[in-house]
Structures are given as structure tokens and as C-alpha cells.
Amino acid sequence: MKETARSYLATIELPENQYAYQILAGFGHKVKIIKPKSFIAKYVNFLERPVKLYK
């Protein structure tokens, strides 16, 4: 884990599944996934599905 002035950079391994996405979603806007791009795309899709219910 690397600490900067106002943030931390941590490397963790998560499976590409709903449970991992839920854990990350629990951090709200205080987490940013850097890589891999395939995980990011699936995570964004996971987040967009419930939002579409209200549009």
C-alpha cells in the first residue's frame, strides 16, 4: 500500500463477480479502480443496471 498526501494506493486481488463489485460499491465515490480494464467495464455495468431502473 502506498500513501500519498490525501489518498492510499492499495493492490488487492478480487474475483470478477457480483460480490466483489458489491464490496467495492460499499466504498462509494472513495474508491477508484485503476486496472484491469475488463474488470472496470464489468464493474461499471454492475453499477449502471440499478440506475437504469430509475430513469
Side-chain angles (χ1 to χ4, degrees), residues 22-37:
Q22 288 172 339
I23 291 168
L24 292 170
F27 289 101
H29 69 281
K30 297 183 185 241
V31 67
K32 181 177 182 179
I33 303 165
I34 299 171
K35 61 182 180 178
K37 298 293 184 189

Side-chain angles (χ1 to χ4, degrees), residues 6-53:
R6 295 181 182 207
S7 65
Y8 294 91
L9 177 62
T11 301
I12 60 170
E13 292 185 32
L14 292 171
E16 289 190 21
N17 63 34
Q18 178 178 345
Y19 302 110
Y21 306 146
Q22 288 172 339
I23 291 168
L24 292 170
F27 289 101
H29 69 281
K30 297 183 185 241
V31 67
K32 181 177 182 179
I33 303 165
I34 299 171
K35 61 182 180 178
K37 298 293 184 189
S38 61
F39 186 93
I40 295 168
K42 291 175 184 175
Y43 179 61
V44 168
N45 183 53
F46 169 81
L47 295 172
E48 287 176 338
R49 282 185 278 154
V51 171
K52 288 179 183 177
L53 295 173

